Amino acid sequence: MNNGDNYKRRRKESFGQEDDYDDDSCSSDHEPKKKDLNGIITSLLLLEEQDKRDREEQNEASNEEKSILDSTHKRKTRTMLEFYSNFQDYYSEIDETDRIKRKKSRTMAASVAVASVHQTENQAPSNNNKQSGSGQQRRLWVKDRSNAWWDECNRPDYPEEEFKKAFRMSKSTFELICEELNSVIAKEDTTLRNAIPVKQRVAVCIWRLATGEPLRLVSKRFGLGISTCHKLVLEVCSAIRSVLMPKYLQWPDEDSLRKIKEEYEGISGIPNVVGSMYTTHIPIIAPKISVAAYFNKRHTERNQKTSYSITVQGVVDPRGVFTDVCIGWPGSMNDDQVLEKSALYQRANGGLLKGVWIVGSSGYPLMDWVLVPYTQQHLTWTQHAFNEKIGEIQRVAKEAFGRLKGRWCCLQKRTEVKLQDLPVVLGACCVLHNICEMRNEGLDPELKTELVDDEMVPEVALRSVSSMKARDAIAHNLLHHGLAGTAFL
């Protein structure tokens, strides 16, 4: 029995040792796996935390960059406005200084002339006694110049075709302008010289604007001094702007607006259109101050020649007559920026254009009163049809500007006129254009010019959700009422 008990006890002890060995081996296997799992989880948490920090840093950098861009844009806009204000003040001071100098010089010259005349009269008896039988010596006040060409043009029997070729208008229109300006530009004769007639004054200005020839050639044509011709051009342009512009270039009244709507709707099928808008650039010589503001980057890149310009924005009726103009903003500005600076924009914000449209190109934004074509890719048939019809209205303004530049060739080349005087000259050209258009003065086909003005899509092309819905409704009506045509197909 003792031997049997000892055997059983030894087997239990051996089994107990085996169980202890198995537990030790299992626990030793689980410990490295558990450590690896903890390491993986820790790594994932660290990666997630790092990714979160990266996103936060990226958002902070993006917000900071956005704020920097906004502040830079505001600073540039403020700087441009301050520059333009200082620019106007600077040239106003120069004009005032020049006026005072000219007044002093005229006063001094007049006093010297009077003194010389008295001296000559006092010496005349003695000179007659000493120089009996010989010619009396004369003092020349004005250089003798030939004005035979103008005398020929001013003859009643001068051919109408030749006159129109030289001055871009008929004799009757020319006479009308002279009569309108007579009270403003007429001068009286003095003891020293005869005043230049009103007709010759107007002719000097119009021929200069029509041909764009330099003042040296204008001087030879009309038998006048170069400085006199320059002065006459500015005086007559200023008179045209002050006297004729309120009469021949103004926003239409209610009756005229109703007729304009009917004519534009007859052209395109689009209702409530009161004008077609376009912006062109006029080349200038590089200004002495703020060159970058007038630098025309797009014209420079296209022509491979440095270009500077100022802008002319105009709204025209179906006949191509200007009803509103905005002149003189620097050529570096886009069409939408010029529009925001115009008086038309301020009047529209005041409610002048409520319920009506002014049609513009893709360079303008879509607004409550500005209607523009669709510019996105992959247009639908409805959108194609709308763009086709609105293009017919756009063509009215573009052709009007083409006639403006073709009739007044000074707008096609860099002029000798100072930058501060250019708005007056350009305004006079627009008024004279309106007079010619109203009186049906045809333009010689050889003078027609093709406009090349780059259109830049504005940064914010959509300014009004309601206008987008209105444009979609107009496009839908054009297509489904058979008014759109089939050219887009």
Side-chain angles (χ1 to χ4, degrees):
M1 288 294 291
N2 291 333
N3 292 334
D5 292 337
N6 292 334
Y7 175 76
K8 291 179 179 179
R9 188 166 49 252
R10 284 196 300 270
R11 285 183 60 84
K12 288 179 179 179
E13 290 176 355
S14 64
F15 285 139
Q17 291 176 356
E18 289 177 359
D19 291 338
D20 292 340
Y21 176 77
D22 292 338
D23 292 340
D24 293 340
S25 63
C26 289
S27 61
S28 62
D29 289 340
H30 281 299
E31 286 178 359
K33 292 181 179 179
K34 189 174 182 181
K35 290 181 180 178
D36 294 341
L37 183 60
N38 290 336
I40 292 172
I41 294 173
T42 303
S43 300
L44 291 174
L45 291 174
L46 290 174
L47 289 174
E48 185 177 359
E49 185 68 23
Q50 181 66 32
D51 185 49
K52 185 177 179 181
R53 284 200 299 271
D54 291 341
R55 286 198 301 270
E56 291 177 353
E57 292 176 358
Q58 186 176 3
N59 291 335
E60 290 177 359
S62 177
N63 292 333
E64 184 177 358
E65 183 179 0
K66 184 178 179 181
S67 63
I68 292 173
L69 289 175
D70 292 340
S71 62
T72 303
H73 176 71
K74 292 179 180 178
R75 187 171 63 254
K76 286 182 177 179
T77 304
R78 187 167 56 253
T79 303
M80 179 174 289
L81 293 176
E82 290 176 356
F83 151 75
Y84 194 75
S85 177
N86 295 334
F87 174 77
Q88 296 288 354
D89 295 341
Y90 170 76
Y91 277 112
S92 297
E93 292 176 1
I94 291 179
D95 290 341
E96 184 65 20
T97 304
D98 291 343
R99 187 184 65 79
I100 294 173
K101 288 181 178 179
R102 289 195 300 269
K103 186 176 180 180
K104 289 181 178 180
S105 63
R106 285 197 299 267
T107 304
M108 187 177 296
S111 61
V112 172
V114 171
S116 300
V117 169
H118 286 306
Q119 184 178 1
T120 303
E121 291 177 351
N122 294 332
Q123 293 178 353
S126 59
N127 289 338
N128 287 334
N129 295 330
K130 292 179 181 179
Q131 298 181 1
S132 57
S134 61
Q136 186 176 357
Q137 187 176 2
R138 296 178 58 194
R139 183 180 180 88
L140 295 177
W141 295 96
V142 181
K143 182 179 178 180
D144 187 20
R145 293 183 175 91
S146 173
N147 58 353
W149 181 82
W150 164 242
D151 290 339
E152 181 72 16
C153 293
N154 198 29
R155 284 171 43 202
D157 59 346
Y158 190 72
E160 183 76 25
E161 294 79 10
E162 294 297 323
F163 188 91
K164 189 171 184 178
K165 186 176 181 181
F167 298 98
R168 308 294 193 263
M169 62 183 67
S170 62
K171 291 182 180 180
S172 60
T173 302
F174 180 82
E175 294 283 350
L176 171 68
I177 295 172
C178 292
E179 290 176 5
E180 296 271 7
L181 300 179
N182 183 73
S183 60
V184 181
I185 65 174
K187 305 294 181 182
E188 296 182 356
D189 296 340
T190 65
T191 57
L192 302 180
R193 67 183 73 184
N194 294 329
I196 302 172
V198 170
K199 282 189 177 182
Q200 190 172 4
R201 290 172 176 271
V202 176
V204 168
C205 177
I206 292 181
W207 194 79
R208 161 81 162 143
L209 299 179
T211 62
E213 297 291 354
L215 291 170
R216 172 176 50 83
L217 296 182
V218 181
S219 172
K220 290 183 178 180
R221 285 278 186 174
F222 291 90
L224 300 171
I226 293 178
S227 60
T228 302
C229 291
H230 178 67
K231 182 180 178 181
L232 288 178
V233 170
L234 295 182
E235 284 183 356
V236 175
C237 285
S238 180
I240 290 173
R241 187 172 182 179
S242 60
V243 176
L244 299 183
M245 181 175 281
K247 184 176 181 180
Y248 292 99
L249 201 163
Q250 57 182 346
W251 189 253
D253 55 22
E254 290 298 326
D255 291 337
S256 299
L257 285 178
R258 179 176 50 80
K259 294 178 182 178
I260 290 173
K261 290 178 187 179
E262 292 174 355
E263 291 183 31
Y264 271 129
E265 187 169 1
I267 293 173
S268 64
I270 301 176
N272 297 323
V273 176
V274 297
S276 179
M277 182 165 54
Y278 188 81
T279 300
T280 191
H281 288 255
I282 306 300
I284 62 173
I285 298 173
K288 295 181 180 179
I289 59 174
S290 189
V291 178
Y294 293 89
F295 176 67
N296 193 322
K297 181 180 178 181
R298 296 180 294 279
H299 283 206
T300 299
E301 291 175 349
R302 184 178 60 252
N303 301 330
Q304 298 298 311
K305 183 179 179 181
T306 305
S307 299
Y308 301 91
S309 65
I310 65 172
T311 59
V312 177
Q313 172 192 286
V315 179
V316 303
D317 66 11
R319 296 179 296 168
V321 174
F322 289 106
T323 56
D324 183 87
V325 291
C326 176
I327 301 170
W329 288 98
S332 62
M333 298 174 64
N334 295 332
D335 293 353
D336 61 318
Q337 295 173 326
V338 176
L339 175 63
E340 292 174 359
K341 301 296 182 184
S342 65
L344 178 68
Y345 186 85
Q346 305 301 326
R347 295 200 303 270
N349 288 341
L352 174 66
L353 300 175
K354 188 175 181 179
V356 297
W357 296 108
I358 290 180
V359 170
S361 66
S362 57
Y364 300 100
L366 179 64
M367 304 169 65
D368 289 333
W369 52 279
V370 178
L371 188 63
V372 299
Y374 292 96
T375 56
Q376 71 267 24
Q377 295 182 346
H378 309 299
L379 299 178
T380 64
W381 281 16
T382 304
Q383 293 168 344
H384 272 296
F386 176 82
N387 283 3
E388 176 191 342
K389 301 307 290 185
I390 202 174
E392 296 178 4
I393 301 179
Q394 291 174 316
R395 197 176 302 116
V396 175
K398 191 168 184 178
E399 290 177 353
F401 271 96
R403 293 194 298 274
L404 173 73
K405 286 189 171 184
R407 183 175 278 122
W408 312 116
C409 295
C410 66
L411 306 180
Q412 302 180 34
K413 57 183 73 173
R414 297 186 299 177
T415 177
E416 302 163 343
V417 179
K418 294 180 180 178
L419 190 58
Q420 69 269 23
D421 295 327
L422 263 181
V424 176
V425 176
L426 299 181
C429 289
C430 293
V431 174
L432 292 173
H433 165 87
N434 277 8
I435 294 174
C436 291
E437 294 290 318
M438 291 176 180
R439 295 177 63 85
N440 297 319
E441 298 284 355
L443 183 65
D444 189 341
E446 296 180 357
L447 297 174
K448 290 185 179 180
T449 180
E450 188 71 22
L451 295 184
V452 183
D453 292 299
D454 301 299
E455 296 177 358
M456 299 291 291
V457 177
E459 295 181 0
V460 183
L462 177 62
R463 306 279 179 91
S464 170
V465 177
S466 60
S467 60
M468 180 181 66
K469 295 179 180 178
R471 181 175 66 175
D472 291 341
I474 293 173
H476 177 83
N477 289 334
L478 287 175
L479 183 66
H480 293 281
H481 289 81
L483 301 174
T486 57
F488 65 94
L489 296 175

